[in-house]
Amino acid sequence: MADTTGTAFDIVVLGAGSGGYAAALRAAQLGKNVALIEADKVGGTCLHNGCIPTKALLHAAELADNARDGAHFGVHSTLERIDMAGVNQYKDTVIGGLYKGLQGLIKSRKITVVEGHGKLVGPNAVQVGDTTYTGEHIVLATGSYARSLPGLDIGGRVITSDQALTLDWVPKSAIILGGGVIGSEFASVWKSFGADVTIIEALPHLVPNEDVALSKAFERQFRKRGIAFNLGVRFQGVTQDDNGVHVSLEDGKTFDADVLLVAVGRGPRTSGVGYEDQGITLDRGFVITDEKLHTGVANIWAVGDIVPGLQLAHRGFAQGIFVAEQIAGLNPQPIVESGIPRVTYSHPEVASVGLTEAAAKEVHGEDAVEILEYNLAGNGKSKILDTQGFIKLVRKKDGPVVGVHMIGDRVGELIGEGQLIVNWEAYPEDVASLIHAHPTQNEALGEAHLALAGKPLHAHN
């Protein structure tokens, strides 16, 4: 056994974000002696600068919309102001509670937490300051950072999500560079808080990784909310002064606003940590692994945002558990990327799992795919919530459902069943036979599968 009082461990995990701390917790649960190295705080981007704080802002934004629009439901109220100090206090309280809980959990598993910048200095060694920690296995989980574009410097009124999460004021106007998940979520928050918002997206659609039907519906609802966007055009440059930012596009258009939020994705944090020096293959900064997340070098594994694919906290979390179980000899099933659920927590929400219509036709053939769209207008709870949207099912003809795609307020809470349907390769008839509680939005999933199974009740044949 490794000496847990020194610097030798069964497993050394470099990075304590979702992937790293999940690997450490599961490995410790399986009897391994674990060192968890983190330069900042355990919990990583998701807890401190990503998932949790942005969703707290989105909840505050929902309350603002409810206060402003209550008369529609017979509740007459007015929105006096957005108190960003109060919003940030609420957000930080949520983060603080979860952070304290995670610290307690790590301590209870007797995981050794090492604070400081770690660097891989050997096939089984990570150096932090003057101390080297060795492990029979090394798990790389150094996460990601908010990217910018070449020549676009962050500073002043040009910010990333990191700075946006700590703003103590609401911009009167904002330009958002990037219409993916991060850009769309901040556009939703700031619009609810009263800002004029314009999104600039180089690709043809907002949330471009989603099924095109969802993207188009999403654009319609953003347009209805008064969120402006320019699609299929590239950013050219920005200048800033005391009055704000002045943005130009390659098509000649110019825009002025209080701030420019750069939301063009996240880059892998793999520079200066010794990976290449140890023979680990990088591609555009990402660590290349096999399907079992092994790097091909000694007993070194990689998880989370540094591995090519979806940059999602729950993906990294699942990968951390997967690697820990492999190290412990449990032989878990490899993670199927297409089976990972995806949610954009804006107003409206977008949630999906599995193949888009285009991807399914590419995989199975143009004529081997069946599509069904179920409008939420036929769902009682959605009507009560006054939300618009639909559920789109993608099925291999005469076979299982291979994609579930949804748009509408709160549909992110439905993706759990969607994940089971896709990952368990359920047929529409299997889901149609299940009883869904009424009235719930979840019921819409059952109705959609009833329709796809050829026996629609609240949908037309």
Side-chain angles (χ1 to χ4, degrees), residues 266-350:
R266 299 187 64 84
R269 200 181 295 277
T270 55
S271 178
V273 284
Y275 293 174
E276 287 182 294
D277 294 340
Q278 301 306 317
I280 291 171
T281 302
L282 300 183
D283 181 11
R284 294 169 296 146
F286 290 96
V287 176
I288 303 304
T289 71
D290 61 17
E291 69 167 4
K292 295 186 176 182
L293 300 174
H294 188 259
T295 65
V297 176
N299 287 331
I300 302 177
W301 313 79
V303 301
D305 286 358
I306 61 173
V307 178
L310 297 168
Q311 290 181 310
L312 299 169
H314 46 280
R315 171 184 180 253
F317 190 85
Q319 288 179 334
I321 294 172
F322 172 75
V323 165
E325 291 184 349
Q326 280 189 101
I327 292 171
L330 298 185
N331 195 29
Q333 289 295 312
I335 295 167
V336 178
E337 197 87 359
S338 64
I340 299 172
R342 311 171 291 275
V343 184
T344 302
Y345 295 88
S346 50
H347 168 43
E349 289 186 352
V350 173

Side-chain angles (χ1 to χ4, degrees), residues 109-184:
R109 297 277 172 89
K110 296 181 171 53
I111 295 167
T112 299
V113 176
V114 180
E115 297 180 358
H117 289 272
K119 182 176 181 179
L120 189 66
V121 294
N124 68 337
V126 176
Q127 185 174 340
V128 182
D130 296 328
T131 305
T132 299
Y133 298 85
T134 60
E136 184 180 344
H137 293 265
I138 304 291
V139 179
L140 309 178
T142 41
S144 61
Y145 64 93
R147 287 199 305 115
S148 185
L149 297 177
L152 178 54
D153 296 327
I154 304 301
R157 293 175 178 267
V158 179
I159 63 177
T160 68
S161 57
D162 292 340
Q163 294 79 41
L165 285 169
T166 60
L167 282 183
D168 57 4
W169 55 287
V170 178
K172 290 183 179 179
S173 56
I175 298 169
I176 298 177
L177 182 57
V181 173
I182 296 171
S184 295

Side-chain angles (χ1 to χ4, degrees), residues 26 302 345 353 435:
R26 182 63 176 135
Y345 295 88
V353 63
I435 299 173

Side-chain angles (χ1 to χ4, degrees), residues 51 61 108 193 222 250 311 336 355 357 390 392 424 426-427:
C51 316
S108 72
F193 284 174
F222 260 30
E250 287 186 352
Q311 290 181 310
V336 178
L355 301 178
E357 178 181 349
F390 60 87
K392 178 175 179 176
W424 288 352
Y427 280 58

